[in-house]
């Protein structure tokens, strides 16, 4: 098969002679450096994508994709609104809720928490709460209206020292007028269950009761705080929220999860960018090792370059030889790095236990970290981006050595040959 002369010469220079073994060794280290940088970049970004997905699932397992509420904090005609949102094909579930800040008291322990009233029959349509109940620690269906049962987060129950059957006092900021003066409104609830999401925000600061009991306690009468919506595609939440806002003529306040947790996910995205830049420096350093490699090749091949010039090769062709040589080094390193990165990222959940067993320790202890496994989510868009950057950096690193090779003067080089 015919190959351009530039490619043939470039491939020939990739294979070292006995007297140029050192140059070949430098070439190999450049390839391995790029491969290592690309592998690290793909693996770390995949792990960060996995953490982001895991956190998003845990957060959205307890919150809603979108929320419809009244401007005064109450939704009076919630049944009518529920029927309206059912007409949207993107909305696959909705459920009413009552919510308010209260204080819980048990013995000498007091804690401020978010009290959420739910309908046990409708809650599975919008959240994963029934699946997050600890085994043998009750069910959401144990929240019977009028019996004033309460389900606590695992960390909250641990702080209060509460177990199933204990009586906790719920104190609201609303006041009762009595002959003795103004007193806070309070009610005793019975602990009927404990849930664990794996997010401190919920496990420590959330308590669940029946929606009727919550409405009675917070004096909402027949109203609710709002409707929680579950969407077919959570990433379309901003667009669907905007559509609902327009179709409901601005009568209700509509928010989505991207607004409620904007700063949190923005921080994760910023962290990913910083890690990408830091690890990209590894690839950049390895890529610019190609400069020293090609400079040594040019120095070693000056007589060859001079002979090629006398036989008719143009300066552009000489430059192309060394650009192709550096490009082949970069492409070889990038291909190795992509293969290693994809292999590592897709198997990291199996590799980590082997490392832990070998070291005899848990890298992410369950009693310290809520996420004790190392999740990984490989995005091919990241792989393509990293591979393209690796190749581009490698090609940029060839420009100066190639330019130096093109400046070789055949007359001066061959004068003493």
């Amino acid at each position: 098969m015919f190959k351009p002369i530039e490619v043939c010469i470039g491939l020939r220079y990739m294979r070292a002679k006995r007297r140029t073994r050192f140059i070949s060794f430098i070439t190999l280290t450049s390839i391995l450096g790029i491969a290592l940088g690309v592998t690290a970049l793909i693996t770390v970004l995949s792990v960060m994508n996995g953490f982001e997905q895991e956190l998003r699932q845990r957060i959205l397992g307890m919150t809603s994709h979108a929320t419809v509420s009244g401007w005064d904090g109450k939704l009076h005609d919630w049944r009518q609104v529920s029927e309206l949102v059912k007409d949207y094909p993107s909305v696959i579930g909705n459920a009413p809720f009552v919510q308010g800040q209260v204080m819980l008291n048990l013995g000498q322990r007091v804690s401020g928490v978010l009290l959420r009233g739910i309908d046990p029959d409708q809650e599975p349509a919008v959240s994963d709460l029934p699946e997050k109940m600890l085994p043998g620690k009750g069910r959401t269906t144990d929240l019977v209206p009028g019996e004033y049962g309460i389900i606590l987060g695992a960390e909250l129950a641990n702080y209060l020292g509460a177990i199933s059957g204990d009586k906790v006092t719920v104190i609201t900021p609303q006041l009762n007028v009595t002959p003795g003066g103004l007193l806070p409104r309070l009610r005793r609830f019975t602990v009927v269950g404990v849930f664990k999401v794996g997010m401190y925000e919920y496990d420590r600061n959330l308590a669940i009761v029946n929606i009727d009991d919550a409405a009675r306690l917070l004096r909402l009468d027949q109203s609710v705080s709002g409707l929680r919506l579950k969407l077919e595609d959570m990433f379309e939440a901003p667009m669907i929220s905007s559509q609902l806002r327009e179709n409901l003529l601005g009568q209700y306040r509509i928010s989505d999860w991207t607004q409620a947790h904007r700063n949190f996910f923005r921080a994760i995205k910023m962290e990913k960018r910083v890690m990408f830049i830091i690890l990209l420096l590894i690839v950049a350093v390895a890529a610019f090792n190609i400069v020293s490699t090609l400079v040594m090749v040019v120095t070693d091949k000056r007589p060859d370059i001079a002979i090629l010039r006398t036989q008719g090769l143009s300066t552009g062709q000489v430059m192309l030889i060394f650009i192709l040589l550096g490009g082949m080094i970069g492409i070889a390193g990038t291909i190795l790095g992509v293969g290693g990165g994809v292999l590592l990222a897709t198997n990291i959940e199996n590799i980590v236990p082997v490392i832990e067993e070998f070291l005899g320790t848990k890298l992410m202890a369950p009693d310290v970290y809520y996420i004790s496994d190392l999740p990984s989510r490989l995005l091919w868009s990241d792989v393509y981006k990293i591979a393209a950057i690796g190749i581009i950096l490698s090609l940029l690193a060839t420009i100066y050595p190639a330019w130096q090779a093109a400046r070789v003067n055949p007359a001066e080089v061959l004068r003493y040959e």
Side-chain angles (χ1 to χ4, degrees):
M1 182 179 177
F2 174 75
K3 294 180 181 177
I5 188 170
E6 297 89 346
V7 176
C8 292
I9 297 173
L11 289 172
R12 179 66 186 82
Y13 286 170
M14 285 279 288
R15 301 191 297 272
K17 296 179 181 178
R18 182 172 301 175
R19 66 185 179 86
T20 55
R21 290 294 185 189
F22 178 70
I23 295 176
S24 179
F25 174 74
I26 297 298
T27 302
L28 180 61
T29 57
S30 298
I31 292 174
L32 293 179
I34 294 172
L36 182 63
V38 170
T39 298
L41 199 49
I42 291 174
T43 304
V44 171
L45 286 185
S46 297
V47 170
M48 295 192 73
N49 290 333
F51 272 112
E52 183 180 10
Q53 183 183 42
E54 186 74 18
L55 289 171
R56 186 187 294 120
Q57 288 177 346
R58 294 191 182 200
I59 289 172
L60 296 183
M62 292 300 293
T63 60
S64 54
H65 294 170
T67 303
V68 182
S69 58
W71 290 105
D72 60 349
K74 299 179 182 179
L75 193 61
H76 303 284
D77 53 345
W78 65 270
R79 290 181 177 83
Q80 180 183 348
V81 177
S82 177
E83 293 299 322
L84 289 173
V85 298
K86 284 179 181 178
D87 295 333
Y88 286 82
S90 300
V91 179
I92 58 177
N94 72 86
F97 72 96
V98 168
Q99 196 162 278
Q101 294 287 342
V102 300
M103 294 181 68
L104 291 188
N105 167 246
L106 178 61
Q108 300 298 315
R109 296 293 182 96
V110 179
S111 178
V113 300
L114 180 67
L115 186 74
R116 180 182 296 169
I118 65 167
D119 185 333
D121 296 328
Q122 299 186 53
E123 187 66 15
V126 296
S127 82
D128 300 331
L129 178 61
E131 302 169 12
K132 303 299 181 182
M133 299 297 296
L134 291 178
K137 299 289 186 177
R139 299 169 297 176
T140 56
T141 51
D142 294 333
L143 296 175
V144 180
E147 294 189 3
Y148 293 96
I150 188 170
I151 296 174
L152 305 177
E155 293 290 338
L156 179 59
N158 183 58
Y159 172 77
L160 295 174
I163 60 175
S164 295
D166 283 351
K167 301 285 185 178
V168 297
T169 303
V170 178
I171 307 168
T172 73
Q174 297 172 338
L175 300 176
N176 282 333
V177 180
T178 68
L182 297 176
L183 297 175
R185 185 177 176 82
L186 51 87
R187 181 82 195 196
R188 291 177 68 82
F189 282 74
T190 304
V191 178
V192 296
V194 177
F195 69 85
K196 184 174 184 179
V197 178
M199 286 287 294
Y200 187 82
E201 178 183 354
Y202 301 114
D203 292 345
R204 176 63 179 82
N205 300 307
L206 183 62
I208 308 293
V209 298
N210 187 277
I211 190 171
D212 293 339
D213 297 339
R216 195 174 299 114
L217 180 68
L218 299 175
R219 293 178 173 174
L220 293 182
D221 299 323
Q222 298 300 314
S223 303
V224 297
S225 299
L227 279 177
R228 301 168 66 202
L229 309 182
K230 185 173 184 179
L231 308 179
E232 187 174 6
D233 185 353
M234 64 181 179
F235 295 106
E236 293 183 356
M239 181 187 69
I240 296 171
S241 296
S242 179
Q243 292 175 355
L244 285 170
R245 201 173 292 114
E246 291 176 4
N247 293 337
L248 295 177
L249 303 176
Q251 300 177 56
Y252 307 99
R253 183 176 180 273
I254 301 174
S255 60
D256 60 76
W257 68 272
T258 61
Q259 296 172 321
H261 302 280
R262 178 180 299 170
N263 292 336
F264 180 75
F265 287 106
R266 185 179 294 171
I268 292 178
K269 191 169 291 185
M270 179 62 69
E271 187 177 352
K272 282 174 61 180
R273 287 200 189 104
V274 173
M275 288 299 298
F276 180 84
I277 293 171
I278 292 173
L279 293 172
L280 190 61
L281 293 177
I282 300 176
V283 182
V285 169
F288 283 102
N289 279 342
I290 295 173
V291 176
S292 59
T293 303
L294 292 184
V295 167
M296 287 190 289
V297 172
V298 170
T299 303
D300 183 68
K301 302 296 183 183
R302 282 171 63 87
D304 294 5
I305 296 169
I307 293 171
L308 290 171
R309 289 292 310 278
T310 59
Q311 291 184 348
L313 243 66
S314 66
T315 56
Q317 288 177 303
V318 172
M319 284 190 69
L320 187 57
I321 288 172
F322 290 94
I323 289 174
L324 287 173
L325 175 58
M328 286 185 284
I329 294 172
I331 290 172
T334 301
I335 291 174
L336 283 175
V338 167
V342 170
L343 192 65
L344 194 58
T346 52
N347 293 281
I348 198 164
E349 294 178 0
N350 299 322
I351 295 172
V352 170
V354 175
I355 296 174
E356 290 176 339
E357 185 176 352
F358 177 75
L359 296 176
T361 184
K362 187 76 174 174
L363 297 180
M364 302 181 70
D367 56 341
V368 178
Y369 301 99
Y370 278 99
I371 301 177
S372 57
D373 297 322
L374 206 60
S376 177
R377 182 187 178 212
L378 180 68
L379 297 179
W380 285 104
S381 58
D382 288 343
V383 175
Y384 299 145
K385 186 193 305 179
I386 293 167
I389 290 174
I391 293 172
I392 290 170
L393 288 175
S394 301
L395 291 175
L396 289 175
T398 65
I399 294 175
Y400 175 75
W403 179 67
Q404 289 283 25
R407 292 181 62 202
V408 170
N409 190 333
E412 291 183 3
V413 173
L414 298 176
R415 179 180 300 174
Y416 302 106
E417 291 291 332

